[in-house]
Amino acid sequence: MALHDAFRSALQKRQSKSSRRQLTLRAPNAIDFSSNDFLSLSTSPLFRERFLSLLNQAPPNYPFASGGSRLLDGNSSFTEGLEHFIANFHNAPTGLLFNSGFDANVGVLSSIPQPGDGILYDEHIHASAHEGMRLSRVGWRESFSHSCPVSLRQKLEERVRRDPGIASGERNVFVAFESVYSMDGDVAPIREIVRVVDELLPAGNAYFLVDEAHATGVLGPRGAGVVQELGLEERMLVRVHTFGKALASHGAIVLCSPDTRDYLINYARSLIYTTALGYPYLASIRAAYELLSEGHVEPHRQTLQHLIHHIRQLLLNLNPGHFQLDHSPSSPILSLRTLYPRQLADVCQKAGFVVRAIMAPTVPKGQERVRVCVHAGNTEEEIEGLVGVIKRWMGGKL
């Protein structure tokens, strides 16, 4: 079959399953209940002022492009200072910037586990983690049921029985999960996950890898994340924080020990073989973290939590006959499980509210839903308008 015929055939197969992905544009006056701009910093005058100030502080001939990879010409004192600043904010020994959360997860999971080691991972973990594991040299990898310490215990007990080298400390086990999951918005039971592993692997050869992408800026002290809220920073081998969601920027950082950082610089291919972030991106990240550390974002965070509580109560008061609400009380992401996600999303969009139907293969078949994201820039009236549309749809009036 000719290549483009194969393309068309694959796309038609997806179309027949109603799972073909397409790029979309948001209507100019539509109300955003879809993006990950949880703190609404992307439109904040305060953020814009700080960002432009940092841009203007650069000397006249200071290059805005990095000019190469970090290992060649793309490193700078500003970059290293930013890594140090962010690591201090997150109570971490050090950090290493990556161009995106995807690059960070691929770099970590493809290079850190050694031959013969194993990975236990939450079944809902991000596609970037799967890609990293696929490229890794691990002896085995296995999922446990989503946010289920009981399942983790069962899987780990079975592995220990089959391989005494794990219990004796000869081989390492990595446990990978997210603190807040992007599709359901639920918060992982991190303390319970750590407790299970500690009970079964006292040899100290278990290491935790946590992706805090959707918690960054939103949860924890000053938006520092769930791990920091629990005081478990020292238990995590790696914490990944990304900047393209609540922080209105781009890129990610891997928080880790100095040895781990040095190892990633030498072995993480997604860092080594890519052009480093340019100065405008670094200045944007710095602006966001300065505002977080100085407390200027706290009003945004408080407003966001108020609005999250408001929409949660309104949705819980609806007759749940047409959808199931999945939501953790402090999370800005709400999931409406329904048999008719496309229809519900279409009705909301026609009413001027941007929400998205999340279909397979992005989520497993049978778990399709409408994803709703709340932002600090939304209003109570907008939330009530959205819930009103959902209520009328449920009553068959639209």
Side-chain angles (χ1 to χ4, degrees):
M1 181 185 293
L3 181 60
H4 285 83
D5 289 338
F7 290 164
R8 284 188 286 269
S9 175
L11 290 169
Q12 288 168 2
K13 187 177 295 185
R14 280 235 161 138
Q15 187 75 36
S16 68
K17 297 178 180 178
S18 298
S19 60
R20 183 172 177 174
R21 296 183 173 103
Q22 292 180 307
L23 297 176
T24 59
L25 293 173
R26 187 188 305 169
N29 298 318
I31 299 169
D32 180 15
F33 282 102
S34 174
S35 80
N36 293 322
D37 184 23
F38 304 126
L39 295 173
S40 298
L41 284 187
S42 68
T43 55
S44 165
L46 185 66
F47 174 74
R48 183 166 302 194
E49 179 183 356
R50 183 66 62 95
F51 172 48
L52 293 176
S53 173
L54 287 168
L55 284 183
N56 291 327
Q57 288 175 23
N61 296 324
Y62 193 87
F64 271 19
S66 66
S69 72
R70 287 286 297 277
L71 276 75
L72 295 178
D73 300 300
N75 198 30
S76 68
S77 59
F78 189 89
T79 304
E80 294 189 351
L82 177 59
E83 288 173 332
H84 182 71
F85 183 73
I86 297 173
N88 281 343
F89 177 84
H90 288 288
N91 194 24
T94 189
L96 183 64
L97 287 170
F98 281 76
N99 284 17
S100 70
F102 198 102
D103 284 350
N105 283 330
V106 168
V108 165
L109 281 155
S110 64
S111 66
I112 286 181
Q114 303 297 299
D117 291 344
I119 304 175
L120 281 167
Y121 61 93
D122 189 289
E123 63 179 343
H124 286 185
I125 205 163
H126 193 264
S128 57
H130 285 279
E131 190 66 14
M133 289 187 288
R134 186 182 68 82
L135 296 170
S136 73
R137 302 167 295 166
V138 293
W140 56 270
R141 61 182 190 266
E142 184 177 6
S143 67
F144 59 91
S145 299
H146 177 53
S147 286
C148 182
V150 173
S151 174
L152 173 62
R153 178 182 293 276
Q154 292 170 344
K155 297 296 178 71
L156 188 52
E157 285 176 341
E158 177 60 26
R159 284 290 172 180
V160 170
R161 282 196 296 268
R162 289 162 56 183
D163 184 356
I166 296 175
S168 66
E170 296 175 29
R171 280 177 287 282
N172 301 313
V173 175
F174 296 87
V175 182
F177 55 93
E178 299 175 28
S179 61
V180 177
Y181 287 86
S182 62
M183 290 296 109
D184 291 333
D186 55 322
V187 179
I190 298 177
R191 198 180 296 281
E192 290 79 2
I193 288 172
V194 171
R195 184 180 300 119
V196 165
V197 174
D198 283 349
E199 290 174 0
L200 296 178
L201 292 181
N205 58 322
Y207 299 95
F208 301 99
L209 312 172
V210 57
D211 183 346
E212 293 242 48
H214 291 86
T216 307
V218 176
L219 300 180
R222 296 181 298 169
V226 178
V227 170
Q228 219 156 323
E229 185 174 40
L230 298 173
L232 293 173
E233 303 97 299
E234 294 183 3
R235 297 305 315 277
M236 304 295 119
L237 177 69
V238 159
R239 286 179 280 159
V240 175
H241 285 271
T242 66
F243 317 133
K245 297 176 175 63
L247 301 192
S249 302
H250 192 75
I253 193 166
V254 172
L255 302 173
C256 55
S257 69
D259 285 341
T260 304
R261 182 180 188 273
D262 194 24
Y263 182 86
L264 290 170
I265 289 171
N266 281 273
Y267 290 98
R269 295 169 69 87
S270 57
L271 172 84
I272 298 167
Y273 298 107
T274 192
T275 300
L277 293 168
Y279 181 74
Y281 298 105
L282 300 173
S284 175
I285 298 164
R286 179 87 193 196
Y289 269 96
E290 285 184 357
L291 294 176
L292 283 177
S293 65
E294 295 166 10
H296 296 304
V297 180
E298 284 307 299
H300 294 253
R301 294 193 339 116
Q302 292 167 10
T303 298
L304 176 61
Q305 288 301 322
H306 168 74
L307 294 174
I308 290 169
H309 176 77
H310 188 53
I311 192 172
R312 175 182 172 86
Q313 292 306 119
L314 291 176
L315 289 172
L316 287 174
N317 289 336
L318 294 180
N319 184 340
H322 289 282
F323 71 83
Q324 170 190 328
L325 175 64
D326 290 334
H327 181 237
S328 291
S330 59
S331 171
I333 304 168
L334 300 95
S335 175
L336 308 182
R337 299 277 190 95
T338 172
L339 297 174
Y340 314 101
R342 290 188 189 276
Q343 293 92 323
L344 176 55
D346 185 58
V347 164
C348 292
Q349 289 165 11
K350 287 179 178 176
F353 301 99
V354 182
V355 297
R356 304 293 182 192
I358 309 298
M359 310 297 293
T362 301
V363 293
K365 190 172 180 59
Q367 297 185 25
E368 293 82 2
R369 81 282 306 274
V370 171
R371 182 176 183 261
V372 177
C373 292
V374 184
H375 313 96
N378 291 132
T379 65
E380 288 188 2
E381 291 74 20
E382 290 171 349
I383 285 173
E384 290 160 8
L386 172 64
V387 175
V389 171
I390 296 171
K391 183 176 182 179
R392 292 195 297 276
W393 172 78
M394 290 171 56
K397 295 180 181 180
L398 290 175

